Amino acid sequence: MLTRLKNAWFSNVRGDVLAGITVALALIPESISFSLMVGVGPMVGLYASFCIAVIISIVGGRPGMISAATGAMALLMVSLVKDHGIEYLFAATILAGILQYLMGVLKLGQLIQFVPQSVMLGFVNALGILIFTTQLVHFVGATWIMYGLVALTLVIIYVLPKFTKAIPSPLAAIIIVSLIAVAIGADLKTVGDRGLVENTLPMFHIPDVLFSLDTLWIILPYSFSLAIVGLLETLLTASVLDEMTDTTSNKNKETRGQGLANIATGFFGGMAGCALIGQSVINTKSGGRTRLSTFVAGAFLFFLIMVLSDMVNKIPMAALVGVMIMVSISTFDWKSVIQIHKVPRTDAVIMIVTVIIVLITHDLSKGVFAGVVLSAFVFVGKMAKIRISKLSDSSGRRTYNITGQLFFGTTSRFVSLFDYQNDPSHIILDFSQSHVWDQSAVTAIVKVKNKYELLNKEVAFVGLNEESKLIIRKLGLTSSSGH
């Protein structure tokens, strides 16, 4: 028990603490921005990020992943707040958490394994581009000092690790650039300009809505969308971190954990959230590996709100913009672009389509959904190819070698490929390079057998694997028909 606790929380204390502090600083401007996007006060996003990060560090299934308020979720709540008010946002957040928890109980987190690698690459590349483009607004009307400090931030991030790794370079960059900005007294945009951080505690609060079916029908569509989008972004982020760290995560546990976190944040004045790939990458790149890094991110964010709010308000956006540009560069899979000519053309198209749809809609879920659907069509197209070659021997028998998958999508072509009238009296169907999948396939085999028998010709089946034999026997093609 103690060993498990140490591995999960305290095997990388120094790296996790420093990484968590770095992430907490990066969470502040984004949390505020997402709050303003929804049309609520900045503290709603900050409370959400604090609550979700702390709770998910305890009950989540992916150590080192950062969950908080996100843009993808914020977009879904804009019309709800506009039409019905903030109390309905809290109610929808709680219901979304309940739905996510039920999805975890039903083990729907396993469905992430059906997202192909080409869609995953499209997801991370689109996200890298979005993270970069969302930083460009900070350069509107900016002076050369802003550009210079952003460049300095990037120089520190990439050069400092060559000399020392005692402190995460993004954290060092934020501190150094903030001190320089204060020292020169430059007129720069700061965190406080996005919305003032106030040192007020989140309080337990039951949403002030009428508990009725009418209210349920209002919030249910929003809650369902929040639950699906949140889990999709969370599980994809978990898969990305699995690859980055060469570790595994419990997707169903993470699904349940996200549900519990959103239920809690709804009761403490926060908006729905999910995993953030940008901050998760910052955490990983800064050395965060265990649950402690996620906990520190949430706890230090709370400390910043309660104790250092005045200092936080003065952090120049130039430093945080530089960090996020680094995140966009790290998130984008450059290898996938360099080697795009080497991968199958269909995979390249799926990746590009995923990226384009995400960039057009600014909705990661729509891009991933389109990529998965396109992948499914491509897969069915490949599966639906079935070929037959024939070989005659000196004894007057003809053997048909079947290559490909026999299922509902290939049965019509399968039945049409035989030369019933001109074949000899003894026919062998060799399934060594095929597999019988469903009732439609068995029905097609029976149809071929009956066509030959009507012409007084014998048919034998060879090469069937055990699974194909089993389904054939269960669905009525007798063993005397072949082996």
Side-chain angles (χ1 to χ4, degrees):
M1 181 66 181
L2 291 175
T3 302
R4 186 183 301 175
L5 183 65
K6 180 181 178 181
N7 291 337
W9 284 87
F10 305 114
S11 60
N12 181 43
V13 174
R14 184 176 174 280
D16 288 332
V17 169
L18 291 175
I21 291 172
T22 307
V23 169
L25 292 169
L27 277 174
I28 291 174
E30 289 211 348
S31 299
I32 294 173
S33 296
F34 300 148
S35 297
L36 300 178
M37 183 190 302
V38 174
V40 296
M43 299 309 294
V44 174
L46 291 170
Y47 287 157
S49 296
F50 153 65
C51 289
I52 293 172
V54 169
I55 293 170
I56 207 68
S57 70
I58 300 169
V59 299
R62 169 67 251 182
M65 186 163 70
I66 305 299
S67 293
T70 67
M73 302 287 269
L75 286 170
L76 298 173
M77 293 180 271
V78 174
S79 59
L80 176 63
V81 172
K82 182 180 179 181
D83 296 337
H84 301 283
I86 192 171
E87 295 296 329
Y88 279 80
L89 178 147
F90 298 146
T93 296
I94 294 169
L95 181 57
I98 293 171
L99 292 174
Q100 287 180 325
Y101 186 83
L102 292 176
M103 291 174 185
V105 172
L106 296 173
K107 299 185 176 180
L108 297 184
Q110 295 174 342
L111 295 178
I112 196 65
Q113 63 187 313
F114 293 103
V115 177
Q117 181 67 16
S118 54
V119 178
M120 289 281 292
L121 290 173
F123 166 78
V124 298
N125 288 345
L127 196 54
I129 296 171
L130 281 179
I131 291 172
F132 178 79
T133 55
T134 54
Q135 305 311 306
L136 299 181
V137 66
H138 299 294
F139 291 99
V140 176
T143 63
W144 66 268
I145 298 177
M146 168 72 174
Y147 287 90
L149 291 179
V150 170
L152 177 61
T153 302
L154 290 169
V155 169
I156 294 171
I157 288 173
Y158 287 111
V159 174
L160 183 62
K162 298 181 183 298
F163 298 95
T164 179
K165 295 183 180 179
I167 181 173
S169 59
L171 177 58
I174 292 171
I175 294 172
I176 293 170
V177 171
S178 297
L179 292 173
I180 291 174
V182 172
I184 63 177
D187 183 18
L188 294 168
K189 294 178 182 177
T190 64
V191 169
D193 294 330
R194 305 291 296 174
L196 286 176
V197 178
E198 303 170 358
N199 56 345
T200 54
L201 282 170
M203 302 297 290
F204 182 82
H205 168 71
I206 297 175
D208 185 15
V209 298
L210 182 64
F211 290 87
S212 66
L213 283 177
D214 289 338
T215 300
L216 178 63
W217 297 137
I218 289 172
I219 66 174
L220 183 59
Y222 292 98
S223 297
F224 185 75
S225 297
L226 289 168
I228 296 298
V229 171
L231 287 184
L232 184 60
E233 188 165 353
T234 294
L235 296 177
L236 285 172
T237 300
S239 297
V240 170
L241 293 187
D242 288 350
E243 289 193 14
M244 286 181 65
T245 60
D246 195 25
T247 56
T248 58
S249 57
N250 187 329
K251 304 298 191 300
N252 291 315
K253 184 177 181 180
E254 181 64 35
T255 300
R256 296 193 299 273
Q258 290 288 328
L260 293 173
N262 277 318
I263 291 171
T265 193
F267 281 118
F268 281 93
M271 53 197 265
C274 63
L276 283 158
I277 191 169
Q279 275 66 22
S280 296
V281 170
I282 291 176
N283 191 48
T284 301
K285 295 290 185 182
S286 300
R289 290 294 182 272
T290 74
R291 295 177 182 276
L292 182 62
S293 61
T294 308
F295 179 85
V296 169
F300 192 71
L301 175 61
F302 182 70
F303 175 77
L304 292 172
I305 294 170
M306 296 305 302
V307 180
L308 302 178
S309 57
D310 290 340
M311 292 179 60
V312 170
N313 286 323
K314 295 176 182 177
I315 294 176
M317 287 303 301
L320 297 173
V321 168
V323 171
M324 295 311 295
I325 290 175
M326 176 276 292
V327 171
S328 69
I329 295 171
S330 300
T331 301
F332 195 91
D333 192 317
W334 300 96
K335 187 177 179 182
S336 67
V337 176
I338 295 170
Q339 298 185 346
I340 195 169
H341 63 286
K342 296 181 180 179
V343 302
R345 187 172 300 174
T346 52
D347 287 349
V349 170
I350 290 167
M351 182 185 76
I352 293 170
V353 167
T354 302
V355 171
I356 290 173
I357 292 179
V358 170
L359 295 181
I360 291 174
T361 64
H362 280 224
D363 189 332
L364 294 166
S365 62
K366 287 186 175 67
V368 171
F369 179 76
V372 170
V373 170
L374 184 56
S375 298
F377 278 117
V378 171
F379 175 73
V380 170
K382 291 179 179 179
M383 286 281 289
K385 293 179 180 178
I386 191 163
R387 300 186 304 278
I388 289 180
S389 60
K390 54 186 177 181
L391 178 67
S392 301
D393 59 25
S394 57
S395 62
R397 294 183 302 181
R398 175 164 290 173
T399 300
Y400 282 94
N401 295 302
I402 296 111
T403 303
Q405 309 302 310
L406 192 56
F407 69 112
F408 66 88
T410 58
T411 53
S412 296
R413 176 167 171 74
F414 172 76
V415 173
S416 69
L417 289 173
F418 299 93
D419 190 359
Y420 301 100
Q421 295 292 336
N422 299 318
D423 277 343
S425 57
H426 295 282
I427 309 299
I428 298 174
L429 303 188
D430 187 350
F431 289 89
S432 300
Q433 300 179 67
S434 183
H435 186 93
V436 179
W437 285 101
D438 56 15
Q439 183 178 1
S440 298
V442 176
T443 301
I445 293 173
V446 172
K447 190 178 293 185
V448 170
K449 171 178 172 288
N450 290 340
K451 281 178 175 287
Y452 277 116
E453 289 182 345
L454 286 174
L455 297 170
N456 296 317
K457 298 177 181 181
E458 294 182 6
V459 182
F461 307 99
V462 299
L464 289 163
N465 58 42
E466 290 302 319
E467 292 178 355
S468 297
K469 286 180 183 178
L470 180 61
I471 191 172
I472 284 175
R473 290 187 188 124
K474 280 185 175 181
L475 294 177
L477 188 57
T478 61
S479 58
S480 62
S481 300
H483 305 284

